[in-house]
């Protein structure tokens, strides 16, 4: 698992350090890993994720569905728990204060089989997962926003018949608009 997580760290550093050619925004932040919500169960994995991402300009060819922006997200768990990389589309509603829902596909390095103390399975069930996310943001300056974020990983019973506990991650990001 360490070798696979090192790949995520490489992606993360590449997103943070490499200047994107045509990026609209880059972002980074911290998040609480495996938060208990109504759609995800507790895994006793209290830890922190380091996240970094990129959002491109809106895709005009998709204007019929609101001109979404493509995004890439890398999330590295600092305690060796599940890390992941995702790609998808997001929409921005508002300006100074805004909401940004998104939907993507993620690949993760979590365990293939894991059991809770009560004997129930708690792994994610598939390497490929849906990755819906929601951010609420505020413009701090012309070039910097602050976002509160929620990211969910789940296969929704589609990619596998194995139990699907889901994984919820809640945190904060600084978003930098590029010239």
């Amino acid at each position: 698992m360490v070798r696979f997580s090192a790949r995520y760290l490489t992606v993360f550093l590449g997103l943070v350090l490499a200047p994107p050619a045509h990026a609209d925004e880059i972002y980074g932040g911290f998040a609480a890993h495996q938060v208990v919500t109504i759609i995800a169960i507790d895994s006793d994995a209290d830890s922190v994720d380091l996240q970094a991402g990129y959002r491109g300009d809106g895709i005009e060819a998709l204007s019929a569905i609101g001109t979404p922006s493509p995004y890439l997200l890398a999330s590295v768990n600092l305690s060796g728990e599940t890390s992941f990389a995702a790609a998808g589309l997001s929409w921005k509603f508002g300006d100074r204060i805004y909401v940004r829902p998104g939907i993507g596909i993620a690949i993760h390095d979590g365990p293939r089989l894991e059991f809770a103390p009560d004997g129930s399975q708690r792994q994610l069930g598939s390497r490929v997962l849906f990755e819906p996310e929601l951010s609420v943001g505020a413009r701090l300056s012309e070039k910097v926003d602050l976002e509160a974020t929620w990211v969910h990983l789940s296969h929704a019973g589609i990619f596998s018949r194995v139990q699907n506990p889901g994984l919820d991650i809640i945190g904060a990001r600084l978003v930098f608009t590029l010239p």
Side-chain angles (χ1 to χ4, degrees):
M1 185 154 103
V2 172
R3 191 171 60 221
F4 197 74
S5 293
R7 290 182 204 159
Y8 287 118
L9 183 58
T10 302
V11 169
F12 172 78
L13 291 174
L15 286 170
V16 172
L17 300 176
H22 301 290
D24 183 40
E25 299 174 333
I26 58 172
Y27 56 89
F30 293 92
H33 184 86
Q34 190 59 49
V35 177
V36 179
T37 65
I38 60 171
I39 58 175
I41 64 170
D42 187 12
S43 74
D44 299 323
D46 296 329
S47 58
V48 174
D49 287 4
L50 181 62
Q51 295 184 342
Y54 153 82
R55 289 186 195 119
D57 293 329
I59 303 170
E60 289 299 324
L62 297 178
S63 63
I65 61 169
T67 316
S69 298
Y71 70 85
L72 298 173
L73 169 63
S75 184
V76 178
N77 183 270
L78 299 179
S79 297
E81 297 292 333
T82 302
S83 296
F84 67 92
L89 298 173
S90 69
W91 292 258
K92 186 175 181 182
F93 302 101
D95 186 36
R96 292 186 55 92
I97 303 293
Y98 60 89
V99 175
R100 184 184 278 281
I103 183 71
I105 298 291
I107 184 167
H108 71 92
D109 69 349
R112 292 192 182 271
L113 188 60
E114 184 176 67
F115 293 93
D118 68 2
S120 64
Q121 292 185 29
R122 62 182 189 192
Q123 73 276 358
L124 294 170
S126 172
R127 286 278 173 237
V128 178
L129 303 168
F130 290 108
E131 183 266 340
E133 61 177 64
L134 180 64
S135 297
V136 176
R139 182 156 302 277
L140 301 178
S141 72
E142 188 176 314
K143 299 265 186 204
V144 180
D145 296 356
L146 177 64
E147 293 181 346
T149 64
W150 165 76
V151 174
H152 179 74
L153 297 178
S154 171
H155 64 70
I158 294 173
F159 297 130
S160 170
R161 294 184 186 177
V162 175
Q163 179 181 342
N164 179 32
L167 173 66
D168 280 336
I169 301 165
I170 296 176
R173 299 174 180 162
L174 275 178
V175 180
F176 301 93
T177 303
L178 299 173

